[in-house]
Amino acid sequence: MELSPLTPLKQSGDVLFLMLGAVMVFAMHAGFAFLEVGSVRKKSQVNAFVKILTDWSVSTVVYFLIGFPLAYGISFLKPADQLMQGAMGYDLVHYFFLLCFAACIPAIISGGIAERAKFWPQVIAGAIFAGICYPLFESLIWGKNASLLQGIFKSIGGLEFHDYAGSVVVHSIGGWIALPAIILLGARKGRYQHGKSHPLPISNIPFLALGSWILAVGWFGFNVMSAGNLEKISGLVAVNSLMAMVGGVLAALIAGKNDPGFVHNGALAGLIAVCAGSDLMHPLGALATGAIAAIIFVYGFTFEQEKLKIDDVLGVWPLHGVIGTWGGIAAGIFGQKFFGGIGNISFISQLAGSLTAVLFAVASGFVVYGALLKTVGIRMHEEDEYNGPDLAIHKIGAYPEDHIR
C-alpha cells in the first residue's frame, strides 16, 4: 500500500504533539516538588527537592527497561535505527509521555511520607511501583492486557471502564498506595501527643502556591495530550479541565474558609477528578465534579488528620486516592447524556473499575512497604528525624547562611 505524501508530515506532527505533552507533564514534577517543599518544615526542604528528582530519574530507567514493555509489549532493547522505523520514533515519545504518568506514583507518595522516611528504601519502593506495580495495572486498563479486566467490567456494566487521562490509573493508584506507607511509617514526632493533635507548621506558602500553579498549567498537557495524536485532540477536554480546576478553587475557598492551603490544593482536586471523564462531560458537569472534589478534600483532609490521626503531610490519600476514585465514579455520572455529557459510559463499570484500583493499590502498598519494613526499615532514626532529613541525609540545609556565625 502506497503511503500518502502527507503521511510523514502527519507522523512528525503526532511525535511533536506528544513530545510537547510529555514536556508539560514533566514540568508538573517541579510542581510536585514545590508543593512538598512549601508544605514541610525548613529542615526538610532540600530532601523534598532531591527525592522528586531522584524518583524521576529512577522511574525513567525502570519504566524504559521494564514498565513500558510490561504495559504495552514494546521493548526498546534493539538498535537505534530500528527504534526509528515506522512513525518517526512515535513509540519512543509515547514512552516519554507515559513515563511522566508512571513517575507520578512515587512523587505522590513522597508528599505523604515526608520528613521521616529513609531515603534509599523509598527510592527502592518508587522503582518497584514505577517499574512493576503501576505498569501492571496500566496494562489491564490501557495496555496489552486490557481485554482481560475490561472484559469483566463490560460483562457486569455493559461497557468498558473509562479513564481518559488517569483519575484512577494514575492518581487513585498513587494515593491509595501511599496510605499503607503512611500508616506503617507512623506519624512525625510531636504530631500527636497524649491523644491530641498538634499540627506542625509548614515552611513556605509561596512555594506551596507555586507548586499548585505549575501543576495546574502542566495538567493541560496531562489531559489534552492524552489524545495521543493531533487527529484526536479535543477542545472539550481543555475546557473541562479548566472548569474543574476553577470549580475546585471556588469550592475550597468557601469550604476551607479562605485557607490558602485548601485553595491551592482545591485546584488540584478538581483537576484530578476530571481526568477520567474530561472527554465526555459537559463543562458545567466538569465544574460540579471539581467542586465536589474540593469539598471531599477539605473535609477528608480534616477527618484524616484530626479524627483518624493519620499524619499524611500533604494529604495525598484524600487528594489523589479518594478524589481519584471520585473522578472515576464522576465520569459515570456527569458523562451521562442526562447531565449533558456525551454518554456511552456505564456507572456500574466506572464504580467497579474505581474500586478495583483501590484494592490493587492498597494490596501493593502493604506488600512492598511491609517487606521493606521487615528488611531494611523505612523510618529514619529518631535523632536524624529531629535534626531533619536535609542535614541527616544531604548534609546541608536549604538556607546554609543561617548557620554562619
Side-chain angles (χ1 to χ4, degrees), residues 142-157:
W142 292 337
K144 65 177 184 178
N145 298 315
S147 60
L148 300 177
L149 192 54
Q150 291 286 20
I152 296 174
F153 296 144
K154 189 173 182 179
S155 67
I156 62 176

Side-chain angles (χ1 to χ4, degrees), residues 50-364:
V50 175
K51 276 194 302 178
I52 298 296
L53 186 58
T54 301
D55 285 336
W56 165 266
S57 301
V58 171
S59 296
T60 298
V61 176
V62 297
Y63 194 69
F64 183 88
L65 295 174
I66 304 170
F68 191 79
L70 177 62
Y72 298 97
I74 299 172
S75 172
F76 298 121
L77 300 181
K78 59 186 70 172
D81 58 345
Q82 293 183 28
L83 298 179
M84 282 297 292
Q85 289 178 359
M88 306 292 183
Y90 180 86
D91 287 338
L92 287 169
V93 77
H94 193 210
Y95 146 77
F96 182 14
F97 182 73
L98 291 173
L99 157 68
C100 298
F101 286 45
C104 285
I105 305 302
I108 289 168
I109 297 168
S110 176
I113 63 174
E115 302 209 83
R116 74 275 201 202
K118 285 185 175 180
F119 184 79
W120 286 110
Q122 176 52 27
V123 171
I124 293 169
I128 294 171
F129 294 131
I132 300 173
C133 299
Y134 169 79
L136 178 59
F137 191 78
E138 181 184 19
S139 76
L140 294 170
I141 303 299
W142 292 337
K144 65 177 184 178
N145 298 315
S147 60
L148 300 177
L149 192 54
Q150 291 286 20
I152 296 174
F153 296 144
K154 189 173 182 179
S155 67
I156 62 176
L159 292 168
E160 293 184 348
F161 173 71
H162 182 86
D163 190 3
Y164 184 74
S167 288
V168 173
V169 175
V170 180
H171 296 283
S172 175
I173 290 291
W176 283 98
I177 284 178
L179 181 61
I182 296 163
I183 292 172
L184 292 174
L185 199 58
R188 290 169 291 174
K189 295 295 182 182
R191 180 63 182 87
Y192 303 104
Q193 294 180 335
H194 309 296
K196 294 183 179 181
S197 172
H198 299 275
L200 301 176
I202 67 176
S203 62
N204 198 307
I205 290 289
F207 275 0
L208 184 156
L210 176 62
S212 175
W213 274 104
I214 294 172
L215 282 162
V217 172
W219 223 292
F220 289 89
F222 198 99
N223 286 0
V224 176
M225 269 69 164
S226 287
N229 56 60
L230 281 167
E231 286 183 350
K232 296 179 181 178
I233 191 170
S234 167
L236 183 64
V237 172
V239 172
N240 280 345
S241 301
L242 174 66
M243 295 297 277
M245 182 191 78
V246 299
V249 169
L250 295 174
L253 183 68
I254 296 169
K257 300 178 181 178
N258 303 332
D259 182 282
F262 283 139
V263 170
H264 287 97
N265 277 290
L268 307 182
L271 286 162
I272 289 166
V274 82
C275 288
S278 57
D279 61 327
L280 299 176
M281 297 178 183
H282 186 278
L284 293 179
L287 183 73
T289 296
I292 294 169
I295 292 170
I296 291 172
F297 178 70
V298 171
Y299 291 103
F301 180 80
T302 304
F303 180 76
E304 175 192 33
Q305 300 281 329
E306 304 303 324
K307 299 298 183 182
L308 299 180
K309 292 184 170 54
I310 295 175
D311 187 18
D312 177 357
V313 181
L314 269 68
V316 299
W317 173 46
L319 182 62
H320 295 274
V322 178
I323 291 172
T325 302
W326 158 243
I329 296 169
I333 299 172
F334 292 105
Q336 303 289 348
K337 289 187 176 181
F338 178 81
F339 290 103
I342 290 177
N344 196 35
I345 190 165
S346 164
F347 175 78
I348 298 299
S349 295
Q350 294 304 115
L351 180 63
S354 299
L355 295 180
T356 299
V358 172
L359 295 175
F360 176 87
V362 170
S364 298

